[in-house]
Amino acid sequence: MREPLRVIQGRRKGRALVFAGKQLDGEWAQRIVNEHYADVLAYCRRHAPCAEDARDAAQETFLRFIRSMPSYRDQGKPLALLLVIARHACADLYRRRGRTWEMLDENLPAPESENASTTNMHEALAALPAEQRELLELRYDQGLQVNEIAKVLGVSRFSASRKIAKALEALKTELEKDAERGDL
Amino acid sequence: MKHAEKIALENALQTHYQEIRRTEMQPSDQARQALLAQLAAQTAEQERERSRFPTREPAPQGTAFDFVMTAARFLPWQLWGAPAAAVLVAALAAAHGLSSSQILVTLSGLGPALAIACLYGITRARSHGMAEIEAACSHGSIALASARLTLLCSASFAAIAAACALCSDIVPAFAAATVALAPYLLASAGGLLVARKVAAHNAALASLAWAAGVLAACFVLSAACPAAFGQAAIWIWAAVAACSALWFAREALLWVSPFPPAIIANAQEALWN
């Protein structure tokens, strides 16, 4: 199994850019796209104005990521930086369209499963504020750690942890409300 | 929320997202991914070529002194208040006729207090995410970090020297200097170390916490073991100051190093895992 990519150095060393001991080259860029395209597209689908825009935002994200590498100095998982860029790319799309930053519920892909618990979860998530939905998505869909989420959202680690706990509480309340409605 | 409930909810969320992921990826997305991989490869090659010929403008002409003086203008004025306050405290302590051990306790507390101000000035750029912007400027982030380190440490050393001179009638200058310098160097070196090792946005906070810990330790030591501030213990303070000076020199060099050693990458990697 190949070891996951990790940005060890994002600066010039001699005349080449070095990442995890390898030069920044076409093969490296292809590997980044192949490993993270599904994650970035999933994020953009939930945060871009429409499905076509989501694909454009995902493409723009990877190109900005590769162009930013010569001046990138921080270290960590590439996915965290990719999601920061994707977040800005989606915001840019809304700005160009003159709309506010708001996730459109109709763009959320409805699960095809007949499973009632999955449908309840979908409805409960839709009832949460956009910020809480995004936090849960970053934590449980993208699998980011709390410190990575803090970097993506530009908040402190403590604040991210507190907000995630609050979002889980809110989700639990929504699920209980759904269950009560179901009983009635 | 109970732990078991939280685990169940987290599992349900992960299952929900996996379900969505299974349904949303379409064949057209896979074709697009393949095209994007090719485009990304081309872009990476172009960027690599471009990086061989940096377009950054050369730094403006001027001496290193001019540069340091310019950097001083951009430091918050509050940071200069700390050395002035340290000298004032030493002057008041000397004027009130405190005993030699009380003077030594005061001087040992001044060191970490100065280090707190010094470390805040040095680490705040990293904490506020300014290093990226500074790296793009014509002088570079390393020159700026070096200038800040030089300015703030020089101010701190000058303040410690002045404080020792003011108390020289009560405490011998050598004893005063070792007792003041040891905690200062210990707080500064440790502060720089933790600032390098923690995540960027926590750098200033972590280094200040370390320096505050050293300050608290000095006062705890004075209460728990007053003999530590007697004349007999001065050589122990001198040994601690010498070791701390070496540690501080190493940390200062690492802080301004253009290629931080593997320890930084390892620490960051551990943080990201």
Side-chain angles (χ1 to χ4, degrees):
Chain A
M1 198 177 125
R2 290 180 95 172
E3 198 183 332
L5 277 170
R6 191 174 299 284
V7 179
I8 298 293
Q9 294 169 311
R11 56 174 182 268
R12 286 175 190 145
K13 187 172 184 181
R15 284 188 161 189
L17 297 168
V18 183
F19 296 92
K22 292 189 176 189
Q23 288 192 346
L24 170 57
D25 56 15
E27 192 194 342
W28 178 85
Q30 280 183 327
R31 205 176 143 198
I32 284 276
V33 173
N34 291 333
E35 278 193 12
H36 298 299
Y37 184 75
D39 296 325
V40 173
L41 184 61
Y43 181 87
C44 292
R45 275 214 171 98
R46 288 169 210 149
H47 298 274
C50 65
E52 193 51 40
D53 280 350
R55 292 190 193 104
D56 290 346
Q59 176 173 319
E60 181 64 22
T61 299
F62 282 99
L63 295 182
R64 281 190 203 176
F65 176 81
I66 288 161
R67 287 188 197 119
S68 71
M69 279 299 106
S71 56
Y72 182 61
R73 277 165 187 270
D74 214 336
Q75 294 143 8
K77 281 181 196 165
L79 180 59
L81 178 61
L82 281 166
L83 291 179
V84 172
I85 300 172
R87 202 163 187 260
H88 290 153
C90 292
D92 287 347
L93 284 170
Y94 273 102
R95 204 174 294 126
R96 266 181 235 145
R97 287 165 175 254
R99 288 152 76 172
T100 55
W101 171 263
E102 189 182 340
M103 194 165 74
L104 299 178
D105 287 341
E106 59 267 30
N107 285 334
L108 276 173
E112 289 173 2
S113 164
E114 294 296 319
N115 188 344
S117 68
T118 307
T119 314
N120 284 350
M121 182 64 80
H122 182 77
E123 285 169 3
L125 278 171
L128 294 182
E131 189 195 12
Q132 291 189 336
R133 263 196 313 250
E134 187 178 14
L135 277 160
L136 294 176
E137 181 193 341
L138 291 173
R139 182 77 184 92
Y140 299 106
D141 183 25
Q142 302 289 354
L144 296 188
Q145 301 291 319
V146 175
N147 58 340
E148 294 165 339
I149 294 171
K151 282 202 164 195
V152 171
L153 301 181
V155 296
S156 71
R157 188 180 170 148
F158 174 73
S159 170
S161 172
R162 198 167 40 84
K163 284 178 177 179
I164 291 169
K166 228 174 156 181
L168 280 173
E169 285 285 353
L171 181 66
K172 188 185 162 218
T173 311
E174 287 300 329
L175 284 170
E176 283 169 355
K177 273 188 208 165
D178 283 351
E180 279 170 19
R181 274 198 292 268
D183 287 344
L184 290 173
Chain B
M1 195 190 303
K2 286 178 189 165
H3 183 66
E5 282 178 347
K6 190 184 168 197
I7 298 288
L9 190 56
E10 286 177 336
N11 288 340
L13 263 172
Q14 280 168 350
T15 312
H16 169 74
Y17 283 121
Q18 280 166 7
E19 186 87 11
I20 289 179
R21 286 285 189 104
R22 259 207 306 277
T23 56
E24 69 184 5
M25 196 74 171
Q26 297 158 3
S28 64
D29 291 331
Q30 283 166 357
R32 227 178 151 113
Q33 178 183 334
L35 284 173
L36 178 59
Q38 285 177 10
L39 183 60
Q42 285 171 9
T43 311
E45 294 294 345
Q46 284 168 4
E47 287 301 318
R48 192 170 65 161
E49 284 301 309
R50 195 178 297 170
S51 73
R52 291 180 182 177
F53 306 102
T55 53
R56 196 166 77 178
E57 287 180 12
Q61 293 296 311
T63 62
F65 181 75
D66 293 336
F67 176 68
V68 172
M69 286 299 106
T70 309
R73 290 212 328 263
F74 289 95
L75 282 172
W77 63 268
Q78 290 92 336
L79 292 180
W80 303 113
V87 174
L88 189 66
V89 168
L92 287 172
H96 276 72
L98 297 181
S99 68
S100 66
S101 61
Q102 286 172 325
I103 291 278
L104 286 176
V105 171
T106 309
L107 287 173
S108 75
L110 287 182
L114 280 168
I116 287 175
C118 187
L119 285 169
Y120 178 70
I122 293 166
T123 57
R124 70 195 183 105
R126 177 165 155 75
S127 230
H128 296 165
M130 292 298 289
E132 295 281 329
I133 296 169
E134 288 171 356
C137 83
S138 51
H139 282 287
S141 57
I142 294 160
L144 274 169
S146 309
R148 284 192 199 112
L149 199 65
T150 308
L151 282 164
L152 292 168
C153 290
S154 303
S156 300
F157 286 130
I160 288 172
C164 293
L166 285 167
C167 302
S168 60
D169 288 344
I170 305 161
V171 181
F174 175 72
T178 51
V179 172
L181 276 175
Y184 172 77
L185 293 169
L186 205 61
S188 302
L192 289 178
L193 175 77
V194 294
R196 277 195 301 113
K197 290 211 167 192
V198 300
H201 58 275
N202 290 329
L205 193 65
S207 63
L208 297 192
W210 171 274
V214 175
L215 179 63
C218 286
F219 287 116
V220 168
L221 185 67
S222 71
C225 180
F229 292 89
Q231 290 297 322
I234 291 304
W235 288 105
I236 298 174
W237 283 99
V240 174
C243 295
S244 304
L246 291 174
W247 186 25
F248 176 68
R250 179 181 182 273
E251 291 304 326
L253 285 173
L254 287 175
W255 184 259
V256 299
S257 165
F259 298 111
I263 189 171
I264 298 172
N266 293 340
Q268 292 280 357
E269 202 167 356
L271 276 167
W272 281 100
N273 280 327

